[in-house]
């Protein structure tokens, strides 16, 4: 059977599922090999973001930025509705301070990287997500210490260091974005650039699979060693993934968002900053770093599995039955 770009896109769910299984098996059967892949996570995420950014027509971003209703719904969903959901879940499932810090770090920070990938795969408006990335980053930087103080305690907010977070944003978002823009400008002026840009359309699916393999293989050992403690946070993550789409769908209805924007909102509120906040957890004191990092990696695994369902479920949840507006 001839491999085509269309075939890759149609089979992507199975490809990602196999990637998760392969990464988990590799990390558990040969922990040293898995751990040695640690350093490749950030470069691979940066490459994944580049090939995704390269597909987005940046000339239309002004339209996305001017979508005031979407931006308001996005801020309300991520920084009011989501914290309320998180607070309720941690009240129902109380955790020890290091684990609670990891849970709050990952669930209170909306994703600013591969959410763009999943929004596109889930037939949402990825241009809106891309346009909102800087805004989401700035706001989460401002409110994260407040929420950590509110949910955990004043002494915990001072533990989080801003440097790793800012570095991740610059390397994983800004740099790939600039290179993608340069590539598109090159494609407009040169035939070779146009051919190269067309070539990048093949890469999102295999690169995403590679990122899944590396993240799971390199981090699964941490989860395994603290499995009994980590098991306690899984219900929080599963319920979070189940609840946020319905809250976001309601917000999409309230703000009268179109189908693409509504789906983008659901992906944004349901997808967290797990891979990007991992350096924050690793910057904690040693006694806290191991547990907090394991908690975040667990969320990554649960979320990636959940995203595979999101890709199929969100288009059905946000389905236009009326021919106009949001299908509520």
């Amino acid at each position: 059977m001839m491999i085509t770009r269309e075939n890759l896109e149609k089979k992507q769910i199975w490809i990602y599922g196999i990637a998760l299984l392969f990464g988990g098996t590799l990390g558990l059967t040969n922990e040293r090999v898995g751990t040695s892949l640690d350093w490749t996570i950030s470069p691979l995420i940066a490459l994944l973001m580049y090939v995704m950014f390269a597909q987005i027509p940046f000339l239309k971003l002004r339209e996305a930025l001017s979508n005031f209703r979407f931006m308001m719904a996005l801020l309300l969903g991520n920084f009011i509705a989501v914290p309320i959901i998180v607070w309720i879940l941690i009240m129902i499932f109380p955790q020890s301070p290091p684990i609670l810090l990891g849970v709050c770090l990952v669930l209170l920070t909306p994703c600013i990287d591969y959410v763009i990938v999943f929004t596109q795969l889930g037939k949402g408006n990825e241009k809106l997500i891309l346009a909102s990335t800087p805004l989401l980053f700035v706001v989460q930087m401002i409110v994260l210490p407040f929420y950590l103080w509110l949910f955990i305690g004043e002494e915990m907010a001072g533990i989080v260091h801003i440097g790793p977070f800012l570095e991740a944003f610059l390397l994983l978002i800004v740099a790939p974005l600039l290179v993608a823009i340069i590539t598109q400008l090159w494609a407009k002026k040169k035939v070779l650039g146009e051919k190269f840009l067309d070539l990048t359309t093949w890469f999102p699916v295999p690169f995403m699979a590679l990122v899944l393999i590396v993240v799971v293989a390199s981090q699964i050992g941490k989860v395994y060693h603290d499995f009994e403690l980590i098991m306690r946070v899984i219900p929080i993550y599963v319920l979070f993934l189940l609840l946020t789409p319905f809250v976001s769908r309601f917000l999409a209805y309230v703000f009268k968002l179109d189908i693409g924007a509504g789906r983008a909102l659901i992906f944004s509120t349901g997808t967290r900053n797990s891979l990007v906040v991992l350096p924050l957890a690793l910057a904690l004191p040693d006694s806290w770093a191991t547990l907090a990092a394991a908690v975040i990696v667990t969320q990554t695994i649960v979320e990636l599995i959940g995203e595979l369902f999101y890709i199929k479920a969100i288009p059905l949840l946000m389905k236009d039955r009326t021919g106009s507006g949001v299908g509520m």
Side-chain angles (χ1 to χ4, degrees):
M1 179 179 176
M2 183 178 179
I3 298 177
T4 65
R5 192 172 67 212
E6 290 73 21
N7 285 336
L8 281 177
E9 292 173 352
K10 288 179 181 178
K11 302 294 184 182
Q12 60 192 325
I13 301 294
W14 294 105
I15 293 172
Y16 298 156
I18 292 170
L20 284 170
L21 290 174
F22 179 75
T25 302
L26 177 62
L28 290 174
T29 58
N30 198 327
E31 189 172 342
R32 189 170 67 176
V33 172
T35 304
S36 69
L37 297 173
D38 228 358
W39 68 273
T40 65
I41 294 176
S42 292
L44 285 175
I45 291 177
L47 286 171
L48 174 64
M49 298 319 300
Y50 163 69
V51 297
M52 286 304 305
F53 288 154
Q55 317 310 315
I56 298 172
F58 291 102
L59 295 178
K60 296 183 179 179
L61 284 183
R62 180 182 295 181
E63 178 184 342
L65 284 170
S66 66
N67 193 327
F68 179 75
R69 288 183 303 178
F70 174 77
M71 292 300 174
M72 289 301 297
L74 190 73
L75 292 175
L76 182 61
N78 276 299
F79 301 113
I80 301 296
V82 164
I84 291 173
I85 293 172
V86 173
W87 181 79
I88 292 172
L89 290 175
I90 63 177
M91 290 298 102
I92 297 174
F93 302 98
Q95 307 293 329
S96 63
I99 293 179
L100 183 59
L101 179 57
V103 170
C104 289
L105 269 175
V106 71
L107 291 186
L108 293 173
T109 51
C111 185
I112 54 174
D113 44 66
Y114 67 31
V115 63
I116 301 166
V117 177
F118 285 118
T119 301
Q120 184 185 61
L121 297 177
K123 298 179 174 61
N125 191 333
E126 77 279 0
K127 294 191 292 295
L128 288 173
I129 294 295
L130 173 60
S132 68
T133 296
L135 180 64
L136 285 178
F137 171 71
V138 171
V139 176
Q140 67 185 258
M141 292 294 295
I142 293 171
V143 302
L144 181 60
F146 168 73
Y147 279 127
L148 289 177
W149 170 79
L150 187 65
F151 288 3
I152 305 174
E154 186 175 354
E155 69 280 3
M156 294 300 110
I159 294 176
V160 179
H161 303 295
I162 213 69
F165 197 82
L166 181 60
E167 180 182 356
F169 177 73
L170 292 174
L171 293 178
L172 302 183
I173 299 296
V174 176
L177 180 58
L178 291 176
V179 177
I181 292 173
I182 292 171
T183 302
Q184 290 192 4
L185 291 173
W186 179 34
K188 288 186 68 175
K189 297 179 179 180
K190 301 290 183 181
V191 175
L192 181 61
E194 186 178 357
K195 291 181 178 179
F196 182 80
L197 185 61
D198 184 64
L199 181 64
T200 63
T201 61
W202 282 80
F203 295 149
V205 174
F207 267 56
M208 174 58 76
L210 187 58
V211 167
L212 295 184
I213 291 171
V214 168
V215 168
V216 174
S218 62
Q219 305 299 319
I220 193 71
K222 298 176 183 177
V223 176
Y224 179 75
H225 290 310
D226 296 296
F227 188 70
E228 289 187 11
L229 292 173
I230 300 306
M231 278 291 291
R232 301 175 187 174
V233 303
I234 291 179
I236 295 177
Y237 296 152
V238 172
L239 285 172
F240 181 87
L241 285 169
L242 291 174
L243 291 173
T244 51
F246 294 98
V247 174
S248 299
R249 189 173 186 265
F250 175 73
L251 288 174
Y253 172 74
V254 170
F255 283 90
K256 295 181 172 60
L257 302 182
D258 62 38
I259 299 303
R263 291 171 181 168
L265 178 64
I266 292 175
F267 275 99
S268 180
T269 56
T271 310
R272 302 290 88 191
N273 225 353
S274 52
L275 300 183
V276 177
V277 298
L278 189 58
L280 284 176
L282 296 175
L284 295 170
D286 289 343
S287 58
W288 289 61
T290 301
L291 276 177
V295 165
I296 290 173
V297 170
T298 302
Q299 194 276 337
T300 304
I301 296 171
V302 173
E303 178 177 89
L304 291 175
I305 295 172
E307 294 286 349
L308 300 181
F309 290 98
Y310 266 27
I311 290 170
K312 292 293 186 181
I314 299 311
L316 297 177
L317 182 64
M318 286 294 298
K319 187 175 182 180
D320 190 356
R321 298 192 182 100
T322 64
S324 62
V326 177
M328 287 292 294

